[in-house]
Amino acid sequence: MATSLSAAQLNDPTQPQLPAALLSEAEAHDQFTVSSIILRKRARLAIINEQPVREGEHVDGAYVARIEATRVRLVVAGEARWVTTLAEPSVKTKR
């Protein structure tokens, strides 16, 4: 009897294998999408994974440490990393 496997199910013996704990952390880092950033005098807001968050808040298990014009500093499992926005930066002024 023939068994069909998808490419994702095949194991490449030439590739190094990560321990399960490291693999889950690596996958966690890839789960964040910054779609928008809004900077105001008194507040910084980012849309991460379709959720509005401010500095000091949490989103999907990550702490939002810093929001800048084009990137957000997230801390996941004790490891900090920058996530850049998908949108082109734009500056809007109030008239």
Side-chain angles (χ1 to χ4, degrees):
M1 176 178 272
T3 304
S4 65
L5 296 173
S6 70
Q9 292 171 313
L10 296 175
N11 183 21
D12 183 354
T14 64
Q15 294 298 315
Q17 297 298 311
L18 292 174
L22 291 179
L23 184 59
S24 63
E25 285 182 28
E27 290 171 347
H29 285 296
D30 294 333
Q31 71 183 5
F32 299 101
T33 302
V34 178
S35 55
S36 183
I37 294 175
I38 301 165
L39 300 178
R40 296 192 175 165
K41 288 182 183 179
R42 296 185 181 171
R44 296 169 179 259
L45 179 76
I47 308 299
I48 303 173
N49 295 353
E50 300 181 9
Q51 298 177 41
V53 291
R54 296 171 194 244
E55 289 180 344
E57 296 182 344
H58 289 83
V59 59
D60 295 336
Y63 175 75
V64 181
R66 179 82 176 147
I67 299 173
E68 295 185 353
T70 60
R71 62 189 187 163
V72 177
R73 182 91 167 162
L74 298 177
V75 179
V76 181
E79 184 179 329
R81 71 180 295 237
W82 288 102
V83 180
T84 57
T85 181
L86 296 176
E88 289 294 320
S90 64
V91 177
K92 295 182 181 179
T93 57
K94 191 174 181 180
R95 292 181 181 207

Coordinates of all heavy atoms in Angstrom, one line a residue:
M1 N 0.8 -1.2 0.0 CA 0.0 0.0 0.0 C 0.9 1.2 0.0 O 1.8 1.4 0.8 CB -0.9 0.0 1.2 CG -1.7 1.2 1.4 SD -2.8 1.1 2.8 CE -4.2 0.3 2.1
A2 N 0.6 2.2 -0.9 CA 1.4 3.4 -1.0 C 0.9 4.4 0.0 O -0.3 4.6 0.2 CB 1.3 3.9 -2.4
T3 N 1.8 5.2 0.5 CA 1.5 6.2 1.5 C 2.0 7.5 0.8 O 3.1 7.6 0.4 CB 2.2 6.1 2.8 OG1 1.9 4.8 3.3 CG2 1.8 7.1 3.8
S4 N 1.1 8.5 0.8 CA 1.5 9.8 0.3 C 1.8 10.8 1.4 O 1.1 10.9 2.4 CB 0.4 10.4 -0.6 OG -0.7 10.7 0.1
L5 N 2.9 11.5 1.3 CA 3.3 12.5 2.2 C 3.5 13.8 1.6 O 4.0 13.9 0.4 CB 4.7 12.1 2.9 CG 4.7 10.8 3.7 CD1 6.1 10.5 4.1 CD2 3.9 10.9 4.9
S6 N 3.1 14.9 2.3 CA 3.4 16.2 1.8 C 4.8 16.6 2.0 O 5.5 16.0 2.8 CB 2.5 17.2 2.4 OG 2.8 17.4 3.8
A7 N 5.3 17.6 1.3 CA 6.7 18.1 1.5 C 6.9 18.5 3.0 O 8.0 18.3 3.5 CB 7.0 19.2 0.6
A8 N 5.9 19.0 3.6 CA 6.1 19.5 5.0 C 6.3 18.3 6.0 O 6.9 18.4 7.0 CB 4.9 20.3 5.5
Q9 N 5.8 17.1 5.6 CA 5.9 16.0 6.5 C 7.2 15.2 6.3 O 7.6 14.4 7.1 CB 4.7 15.0 6.2 CG 3.4 15.6 6.6 CD 2.3 14.7 6.1 OE1 2.3 14.3 5.0 NE2 1.3 14.4 7.0
L10 N 7.9 15.5 5.2 CA 9.2 14.8 5.0 C 10.3 15.4 5.8 O 10.4 16.7 6.0 CB 9.6 14.9 3.5 CG 8.6 14.2 2.5 CD1 9.1 14.5 1.1 CD2 8.6 12.7 2.8
N11 N 11.2 14.6 6.4 CA 12.3 15.1 7.2 C 13.6 15.1 6.4 O 13.9 14.1 5.8 CB 12.4 14.1 8.4 CG 13.5 14.6 9.4 OD1 13.9 15.8 9.4 ND2 14.0 13.7 10.2
D12 N 14.2 16.2 6.3 CA 15.5 16.3 5.6 C 16.6 16.0 6.5 O 16.9 16.8 7.4 CB 15.6 17.7 5.0 CG 16.9 17.9 4.1 OD1 17.7 17.0 4.1 OD2 17.0 19.0 3.5
P13 N 17.3 14.9 6.3 CA 18.4 14.5 7.3 C 19.6 15.4 7.2 O 20.4 15.3 8.1 CB 18.7 13.0 6.9 CG 18.2 12.9 5.5 CD 17.1 13.9 5.3
T14 N 19.7 16.2 6.2 CA 20.9 17.1 6.1 C 20.7 18.4 6.8 O 21.6 19.1 7.0 CB 21.2 17.4 4.6 OG1 20.1 18.1 4.0 CG2 21.4 16.1 3.8
Q15 N 19.5 18.7 7.3 CA 19.2 19.9 8.0 C 19.3 19.7 9.5 O 18.9 18.6 10.0 CB 17.8 20.4 7.7 CG 17.6 20.8 6.3 CD 18.5 22.0 5.9 OE1 18.6 22.9 6.7 NE2 19.1 21.9 4.8
P16 N 20.0 20.6 10.2 CA 20.1 20.5 11.7 C 18.7 20.5 12.3 O 17.8 21.2 11.9 CB 20.9 21.6 12.1 CG 20.8 22.6 11.0 CD 20.5 21.8 9.8
Q17 N 18.5 19.7 13.4 CA 17.2 19.7 14.1 C 17.3 20.5 15.3 O 18.3 20.4 16.1 CB 16.9 18.2 14.4 CG 16.7 17.3 13.2 CD 15.6 17.8 12.4 OE1 14.5 18.0 12.8 NE2 15.8 17.9 11.1
L18 N 16.4 21.4 15.5 CA 16.3 22.2 16.7 C 15.6 21.5 17.8 O 14.6 20.8 17.5 CB 15.5 23.5 16.4 CG 16.2 24.5 15.5 CD1 15.3 25.7 15.2 CD2 17.5 25.0 16.1
P19 N 16.0 21.7 19.0 CA 15.2 21.1 20.1 C 13.8 21.7 20.1 O 13.6 22.8 19.7 CB 16.0 21.5 21.4 CG 17.3 21.9 20.9 CD 17.2 22.3 19.5
A20 N 12.8 20.9 20.6 CA 11.4 21.4 20.6 C 11.2 22.7 21.2 O 10.4 23.6 20.8 CB 10.5 20.3 21.2
A21 N 11.9 23.0 22.3 CA 11.7 24.3 23.1 C 12.2 25.4 22.2 O 11.5 26.5 22.1 CB 12.5 24.2 24.4
L22 N 13.3 25.3 21.5 CA 13.8 26.3 20.7 C 12.9 26.5 19.4 O 12.7 27.6 19.0 CB 15.2 26.0 20.2 CG 16.3 26.1 21.3 CD1 17.7 25.8 20.7 CD2 16.3 27.5 21.9
L23 N 12.4 25.4 18.9 CA 11.5 25.5 17.7 C 10.3 26.3 18.1 O 9.9 27.1 17.3 CB 11.2 24.1 17.3 CG 10.3 24.0 16.0 CD1 11.1 24.7 14.8 CD2 10.0 22.6 15.6
S24 N 9.7 26.0 19.2 CA 8.5 26.8 19.6 C 8.7 28.2 19.8 O 7.9 29.1 19.4 CB 7.8 26.1 20.8 OG 8.7 26.3 21.9
E25 N 9.9 28.6 20.3 CA 10.3 30.0 20.5 C 10.5 30.6 19.1 O 10.1 31.8 18.9 CB 11.5 30.2 21.4 CG 11.2 29.9 22.8 CD 12.5 30.1 23.7 OE1 13.4 30.9 23.3 OE2 12.6 29.5 24.7
A26 N 11.2 29.9 18.2 CA 11.4 30.5 16.9 C 10.1 30.7 16.2 O 9.9 31.7 15.5 CB 12.3 29.5 16.1
E27 N 9.2 29.8 16.3 CA 7.9 29.9 15.7 C 7.1 31.1 16.3 O 6.4 31.8 15.5 CB 7.1 28.6 15.8 CG 7.6 27.5 15.0 CD 6.9 26.2 15.3 OE1 6.2 26.1 16.3 OE2 7.1 25.2 14.5
A28 N 7.3 31.3 17.6 CA 6.6 32.4 18.2 C 7.1 33.8 17.7 O 6.3 34.7 17.5 CB 6.8 32.4 19.7
H29 N 8.4 33.9 17.3 CA 8.9 35.1 16.8 C 8.3 35.5 15.4 O 8.3 36.6 15.0 CB 10.4 35.1 16.7 CG 11.1 35.2 18.0 ND1 11.0 36.3 18.8 CD2 11.8 34.4 18.7 CE1 11.6 36.2 19.9 NE2 12.2 35.0 19.9
D30 N 7.9 34.5 14.7 CA 7.4 34.7 13.3 C 5.9 35.0 13.3 O 5.3 35.2 12.2 CB 7.7 33.4 12.5 CG 9.2 33.3 12.3 OD1 9.9 34.3 12.3 OD2 9.6 32.1 12.0
Q31 N 5.3 35.0 14.5 CA 3.8 35.1 14.5 C 3.3 36.6 14.6 O 2.1 36.8 14.7 CB 3.2 34.3 15.6 CG 3.5 34.9 17.0 CD 2.9 34.0 18.1 OE1 2.4 32.9 17.8 NE2 3.1 34.4 19.3
F32 N 4.2 37.6 14.6 CA 3.8 39.0 14.8 C 3.9 39.8 13.5 O 4.9 39.8 12.8 CB 4.7 39.6 15.9 CG 4.6 38.9 17.2 CD1 5.5 38.0 17.6 CD2 3.5 39.1 18.0 CE1 5.4 37.3 18.8 CE2 3.3 38.4 19.2 CZ 4.3 37.6 19.6
T33 N 2.8 40.5 13.2 CA 2.6 41.3 12.1 C 2.2 42.7 12.5 O 1.2 42.9 13.1 CB 1.6 40.8 11.1 OG1 2.0 39.4 10.7 CG2 1.5 41.6 9.8
V34 N 3.1 43.7 12.2 CA 2.8 45.1 12.6 C 2.2 45.7 11.3 O 2.9 45.9 10.3 CB 4.0 45.8 13.0 CG1 3.7 47.3 13.3 CG2 4.6 45.2 14.3
S35 N 0.9 46.0 11.3 CA 0.3 46.6 10.1 C 0.2 48.1 10.1 O 0.1 48.7 9.1 CB -1.1 46.0 9.9 OG -1.9 46.2 11.1
S36 N 0.3 48.7 11.3 CA 0.2 50.2 11.4 C 0.8 50.7 12.7 O 0.8 50.0 13.7 CB -1.3 50.6 11.3 OG -1.4 51.9 11.3
I37 N 1.3 51.9 12.6 CA 1.9 52.5 13.8 C 1.4 54.0 13.8 O 1.4 54.7 12.8 CB 3.4 52.5 13.8 CG1 3.9 51.1 13.9 CG2 4.0 53.4 14.9 CD1 5.4 50.9 13.8
I38 N 0.9 54.4 15.0 CA 0.4 55.8 15.1 C 1.2 56.4 16.3 O 1.1 55.9 17.4 CB -1.1 55.8 15.4 CG1 -1.9 55.1 14.3 CG2 -1.6 57.2 15.7 CD1 -3.3 54.8 14.6
L39 N 1.8 57.5 16.0 CA 2.6 58.2 17.1 C 1.9 59.5 17.3 O 1.7 60.3 16.4 CB 4.0 58.4 16.6 CG 4.8 57.2 16.3 CD1 6.2 57.6 15.9 CD2 4.9 56.3 17.5
R40 N 1.6 59.8 18.6 CA 1.1 61.1 19.0 C 1.9 61.6 20.2 O 2.7 60.9 20.7 CB -0.4 60.9 19.5 CG -1.3 60.4 18.4 CD -2.7 60.5 18.7 NE -3.5 60.2 17.6 CZ -4.7 59.9 17.6 NH1 -5.4 59.8 18.8 NH2 -5.4 59.6 16.5
K41 N 1.7 62.8 20.6 CA 2.5 63.4 21.6 C 2.4 62.6 22.9 O 3.3 62.4 23.6 CB 2.0 64.9 21.9 CG 2.4 65.8 20.8 CD 2.0 67.2 21.1 CE 2.3 68.2 20.0 NZ 1.9 69.5 20.3
R42 N 1.2 62.2 23.3 CA 0.9 61.5 24.5 C 0.8 60.0 24.4 O 0.7 59.3 25.5 CB -0.3 62.1 25.2 CG -0.1 63.5 25.6 CD -1.2 64.1 26.3 NE -0.9 65.5 26.6 CZ -1.8 66.3 27.1 NH1 -3.0 65.9 27.4 NH2 -1.5 67.5 27.3
A43 N 0.7 59.4 23.2 CA 0.5 58.0 23.1 C 1.2 57.5 21.8 O 1.2 58.1 20.8 CB -1.0 57.7 23.1
R44 N 1.6 56.2 21.9 CA 2.1 55.5 20.8 C 1.3 54.3 20.7 O 1.1 53.5 21.6 CB 3.6 55.1 21.0 CG 4.5 56.3 21.1 CD 5.9 55.9 21.6 NE 6.8 57.0 21.7 CZ 7.7 57.3 20.8 NH1 7.8 56.6 19.8 NH2 8.4 58.4 20.9
L45 N 0.8 54.0 19.5 CA -0.1 52.9 19.3 C 0.3 52.1 18.1 O 0.8 52.7 17.1 CB -1.6 53.4 19.0 CG -2.6 52.4 18.7 CD1 -3.0 51.7 20.0 CD2 -3.8 53.1 18.1
A46 N 0.3 50.8 18.2 CA 0.6 49.9 17.0 C -0.5 48.9 16.9 O -1.1 48.5 17.8 CB 1.9 49.2 17.3
I47 N -0.7 48.5 15.6 CA -1.7 47.5 15.3 C -0.8 46.2 15.0 O -0.1 46.1 14.0 CB -2.6 47.8 14.1 CG1 -3.2 49.2 14.3 CG2 -3.6 46.7 13.9 CD1 -4.1 49.3 15.5
I48 N -0.9 45.3 16.0 CA -0.1 44.0 15.9 C -1.1 42.9 15.9 O -1.9 42.7 16.8 CB 0.9 43.9 17.1 CG1 1.8 45.1 17.1 CG2 1.7 42.6 16.9 CD1 2.7 45.1 18.3
N49 N -1.0 42.1 14.8 CA -1.9 40.9 14.7 C -3.3 41.4 14.8 O -4.1 40.8 15.5 CB -1.6 39.8 15.7 CG -0.2 39.2 15.5 OD1 0.5 39.5 14.5 ND2 0.2 38.3 16.4
E50 N -3.6 42.5 14.1 CA -4.9 43.1 14.1 C -5.5 43.5 15.4 O -6.7 43.7 15.6 CB -5.9 42.1 13.4 CG -5.5 41.7 12.0 CD -6.5 40.8 11.4 OE1 -7.6 40.5 11.9 OE2 -6.2 40.3 10.3
Q51 N -4.6 43.8 16.4 CA -5.0 44.2 17.7 C -4.3 45.5 18.0 O -3.1 45.6 17.9 CB -4.6 43.2 18.8 CG -5.3 41.9 18.6 CD -4.9 40.9 19.7 OE1 -4.7 41.2 20.9 NE2 -4.6 39.7 19.3
P52 N -5.0 46.6 18.5 CA -4.4 47.8 18.9 C -3.7 47.7 20.2 O -4.3 47.2 21.2 CB -5.5 48.8 18.9 CG -6.7 48.0 19.1 CD -6.5 46.7 18.5
V53 N -2.4 48.0 20.3 CA -1.7 48.0 21.6 C -0.8 49.2 21.8 O -0.4 49.8 20.8 CB -0.8 46.7 21.7 CG1 -1.6 45.4 21.7 CG2 0.2 46.6 20.5
R54 N -0.6 49.5 23.0 CA 0.3 50.6 23.4 C 1.6 50.1 24.1 O 1.6 48.9 24.5 CB -0.4 51.5 24.4 CG -1.6 52.2 23.7 CD -2.4 52.9 24.7 NE -3.7 53.2 24.1 CZ -4.2 54.5 23.9 NH1 -3.5 55.5 24.2 NH2 -5.3 54.6 23.3
E55 N 2.6 50.9 24.2 CA 3.7 50.5 25.0 C 3.3 50.1 26.4 O 2.5 50.7 27.0 CB 4.7 51.7 25.1 CG 5.4 52.0 23.7 CD 6.4 53.2 23.8 OE1 6.3 53.9 24.8 OE2 7.2 53.3 22.9
G56 N 3.9 49.0 26.8 CA 3.6 48.4 28.2 C 2.5 47.4 28.2 O 2.3 46.8 29.2
E57 N 1.9 47.2 27.1 CA 0.8 46.2 27.0 C 1.3 44.9 26.4 O 2.5 44.8 25.9 CB -0.4 46.7 26.2 CG -1.1 47.9 26.8 CD -2.3 48.4 26.0 OE1 -2.4 48.1 24.8 OE2 -3.0 49.2 26.6
H58 N 0.5 43.9 26.4 CA 0.8 42.6 25.9 C -0.1 42.2 24.7 O -1.2 42.6 24.6 CB 0.7 41.5 26.9 CG 1.7 41.5 28.0 ND1 1.6 42.4 29.1 CD2 2.9 40.9 28.1 CE1 2.6 42.2 29.9 NE2 3.4 41.3 29.3
V59 N 0.5 41.5 23.7 CA -0.3 41.0 22.6 C 0.2 39.6 22.2 O 1.4 39.4 22.0 CB -0.1 42.0 21.3 CG1 1.3 42.1 20.9 CG2 -1.0 41.5 20.2
D60 N -0.7 38.7 22.2 CA -0.3 37.3 21.9 C 0.9 36.7 22.6 O 1.8 36.1 21.9 CB -0.2 37.1 20.3 CG -1.5 37.4 19.6 OD1 -2.6 37.2 20.3 OD2 -1.5 37.7 18.4
G61 N 1.0 37.0 23.8 CA 2.2 36.5 24.6 C 3.4 37.4 24.6 O 4.4 37.0 25.2
A62 N 3.4 38.5 23.9 CA 4.6 39.3 23.8 C 4.3 40.6 24.5 O 3.2 41.2 24.4 CB 4.9 39.6 22.3
Y63 N 5.4 41.2 25.1 CA 5.3 42.5 25.8 C 5.8 43.5 24.8 O 6.8 43.4 24.2 CB 6.2 42.4 27.0 CG 6.4 43.8 27.7 CD1 5.4 44.3 28.5 CD2 7.5 44.5 27.6 CE1 5.5 45.5 29.1 CE2 7.7 45.8 28.2 CZ 6.6 46.2 29.0 OH 6.7 47.4 29.6
V64 N 5.0 44.6 24.7 CA 5.3 45.7 23.8 C 6.2 46.7 24.5 O 5.7 47.5 25.3 CB 4.0 46.4 23.2 CG1 4.4 47.5 22.3 CG2 3.1 45.4 22.6
A65 N 7.5 46.6 24.3 CA 8.4 47.4 25.0 C 8.6 48.8 24.5 O 8.8 49.8 25.2 CB 9.8 46.7 25.1
R66 N 8.6 49.0 23.1 CA 8.8 50.3 22.5 C 8.1 50.3 21.2 O 8.2 49.4 20.4 CB 10.3 50.5 22.3 CG 10.7 51.7 21.7 CD 10.8 52.9 22.7 NE 11.3 54.1 22.0 CZ 10.9 55.3 22.3 NH1 10.0 55.5 23.3 NH2 11.3 56.3 21.7
I67 N 7.5 51.5 20.8 CA 6.9 51.7 19.5 C 7.6 52.9 18.9 O 7.7 54.0 19.5 CB 5.4 51.9 19.6 CG1 4.7 50.7 20.3 CG2 4.8 52.3 18.3 CD1 3.2 50.9 20.5
E68 N 8.2 52.7 17.7 CA 8.9 53.8 17.0 C 8.1 53.9 15.7 O 7.2 53.2 15.4 CB 10.3 53.4 16.7 CG 11.1 53.4 18.1 CD 12.6 53.2 17.8 OE1 13.0 52.9 16.7 OE2 13.3 53.2 18.8
A69 N 8.6 54.9 14.8 CA 7.8 55.2 13.6 C 7.7 54.1 12.6 O 6.7 53.9 11.9 CB 8.5 56.4 12.9
T70 N 8.7 53.2 12.6 CA 8.7 52.1 11.6 C 8.8 50.7 12.2 O 8.9 49.7 11.4 CB 9.8 52.3 10.5 OG1 11.1 52.3 11.2 CG2 9.6 53.6 9.7
R71 N 9.0 50.6 13.5 CA 9.2 49.3 14.1 C 8.7 49.3 15.5 O 8.5 50.3 16.2 CB 10.6 48.9 14.0 CG 11.6 49.9 14.8 CD 13.0 49.6 14.5 NE 13.8 50.4 15.4 CZ 15.1 50.2 15.6 NH1 15.7 49.2 15.0 NH2 15.8 51.0 16.4
V72 N 8.5 48.0 16.0 CA 8.1 47.8 17.4 C 9.0 46.8 18.1 O 9.4 45.8 17.5 CB 6.6 47.2 17.4 CG1 6.2 46.9 18.8 CG2 5.7 48.2 16.7
R73 N 9.4 47.1 19.3 CA 10.3 46.3 20.1 C 9.4 45.4 20.9 O 8.6 45.8 21.8 CB 11.2 47.1 21.0 CG 12.1 46.3 21.8 CD 13.4 46.1 21.0 NE 14.5 45.6 21.9 CZ 15.5 45.1 21.4 NH1 15.7 45.0 20.1 NH2 16.5 44.6 22.1
L74 N 9.4 44.0 20.7 CA 8.7 43.1 21.4 C 9.6 42.2 22.3 O 10.7 41.9 21.9 CB 7.9 42.2 20.5 CG 6.8 42.8 19.6 CD1 6.2 41.8 18.7 CD2 5.8 43.5 20.4
V75 N 9.1 41.8 23.4 CA 9.9 40.8 24.3 C 9.0 39.6 24.4 O 7.9 39.6 24.8 CB 10.1 41.4 25.7 CG1 10.9 40.4 26.5 CG2 10.9 42.7 25.6
V76 N 9.6 38.5 23.8 CA 8.9 37.2 23.8 C 9.8 36.2 24.6 O 10.9 36.0 24.2 CB 8.6 36.7 22.4 CG1 7.9 35.4 22.4 CG2 7.9 37.7 21.6
A77 N 9.3 35.5 25.6 CA 10.0 34.5 26.3 C 11.4 35.0 26.8 O 12.4 34.4 26.7 CB 10.1 33.2 25.5
G78 N 11.4 36.3 27.2 CA 12.6 36.9 27.7 C 13.6 37.4 26.6 O 14.7 37.9 26.9
E79 N 13.2 37.2 25.4 CA 14.1 37.7 24.3 C 13.5 38.8 23.6 O 12.3 38.8 23.1 CB 14.3 36.5 23.3 CG 15.3 36.8 22.2 CD 15.5 35.6 21.3 OE1 15.4 34.5 21.7 OE2 15.7 35.9 20.1
A80 N 14.2 39.9 23.4 CA 13.7 41.1 22.8 C 14.1 41.1 21.3 O 15.1 40.6 20.9 CB 14.3 42.4 23.4
R81 N 13.2 41.6 20.5 CA 13.4 41.7 19.0 C 12.6 42.8 18.4 O 11.6 43.2 19.0 CB 13.1 40.4 18.3 CG 11.6 40.1 18.3 CD 11.3 38.8 17.6 NE 11.7 38.9 16.2 CZ 10.9 38.6 15.2 NH1 9.7 38.3 15.4 NH2 11.4 38.7 13.9
W82 N 13.1 43.4 17.3 CA 12.3 44.4 16.6 C 11.5 43.8 15.5 O 11.9 42.9 14.8 CB 13.3 45.4 16.0 CG 14.0 46.3 16.9 CD1 15.3 46.2 17.4 CD2 13.5 47.5 17.6 NE1 15.6 47.2 18.3 CE2 14.4 48.0 18.4 CE3 12.2 48.1 17.5 CZ2 14.3 49.1 19.2 CZ3 12.0 49.2 18.3 CH2 13.0 49.7 19.1
V83 N 10.3 44.3 15.3 CA 9.4 43.9 14.2 C 9.1 45.1 13.5 O 8.6 46.1 14.0 CB 8.1 43.2 14.8 CG1 7.2 42.8 13.6 CG2 8.5 42.0 15.6
T84 N 9.3 45.1 12.2 CA 9.1 46.3 11.4 C 7.7 46.3 10.8 O 7.0 45.2 10.7 CB 10.1 46.4 10.2 OG1 10.0 45.2 9.4 CG2 11.5 46.6 10.7
T85 N 7.2 47.5 10.5 CA 5.8 47.6 10.0 C 5.7 47.2 8.5 O 6.7 47.3 7.8 CB 5.3 49.0 10.1 OG1 3.9 49.1 9.7 CG2 6.1 50.0 9.4
L86 N 4.6 46.7 8.1 CA 4.4 46.3 6.7 C 4.1 47.5 5.8 O 4.4 47.6 4.6 CB 3.2 45.3 6.6 CG 3.4 44.0 7.2 CD1 2.2 43.1 7.1 CD2 4.6 43.2 6.6
A87 N 3.6 48.6 6.5 CA 3.1 49.8 5.7 C 4.3 50.7 5.6 O 5.2 50.7 6.3 CB 2.0 50.5 6.5
E88 N 4.2 51.5 4.5 CA 5.2 52.6 4.3 C 5.0 53.7 5.3 O 3.8 54.0 5.6 CB 5.1 53.2 2.9 CG 5.5 52.2 1.8 CD 7.0 51.9 1.9 OE1 7.8 52.9 2.1 OE2 7.4 50.8 1.7
P89 N 6.0 54.2 5.9 CA 5.8 55.3 6.9 C 5.2 56.5 6.3 O 5.6 56.9 5.1 CB 7.2 55.6 7.5 CG 8.1 54.9 6.5 CD 7.4 53.9 5.8
S90 N 4.3 57.1 7.0 CA 3.7 58.4 6.5 C 3.5 59.3 7.6 O 3.3 58.9 8.7 CB 2.4 58.2 5.8 OG 1.4 57.7 6.7
V91 N 3.7 60.6 7.4 CA 3.6 61.6 8.4 C 2.3 62.4 8.1 O 2.2 63.0 7.0 CB 4.8 62.5 8.5 CG1 4.6 63.6 9.6 CG2 6.0 61.7 8.8
K92 N 1.4 62.5 9.1 CA 0.2 63.3 8.9 C 0.2 64.4 9.9 O 0.5 64.2 11.1 CB -1.1 62.4 9.1 CG -1.2 61.3 8.1 CD -2.4 60.5 8.3 CE -2.5 59.4 7.3 NZ -3.7 58.6 7.5
T93 N -0.1 65.6 9.4 CA -0.1 66.7 10.3 C -1.6 67.2 10.4 O -2.3 67.2 9.4 CB 0.8 67.8 9.8 OG1 0.4 68.2 8.5 CG2 2.2 67.4 9.8
K94 N -1.9 67.7 11.5 CA -3.3 68.3 11.7 C -3.3 69.7 11.3 O -2.4 70.5 11.7 CB -3.6 68.2 13.2 CG -5.0 68.5 13.5 CD -5.3 68.2 15.0 CE -6.8 68.5 15.3 NZ -7.1 68.2 16.7
R95 N -4.2 70.1 10.5 CA -4.3 71.5 10.0 C -5.3 72.3 10.9 O -6.1 71.9 11.5 CB -4.8 71.5 8.6 CG -3.8 70.9 7.7 CD -4.2 71.0 6.3 NE -3.2 70.4 5.4 CZ -3.1 70.7 4.2 NH1 -3.8 71.6 3.6 NH2 -2.1 70.1 3.5

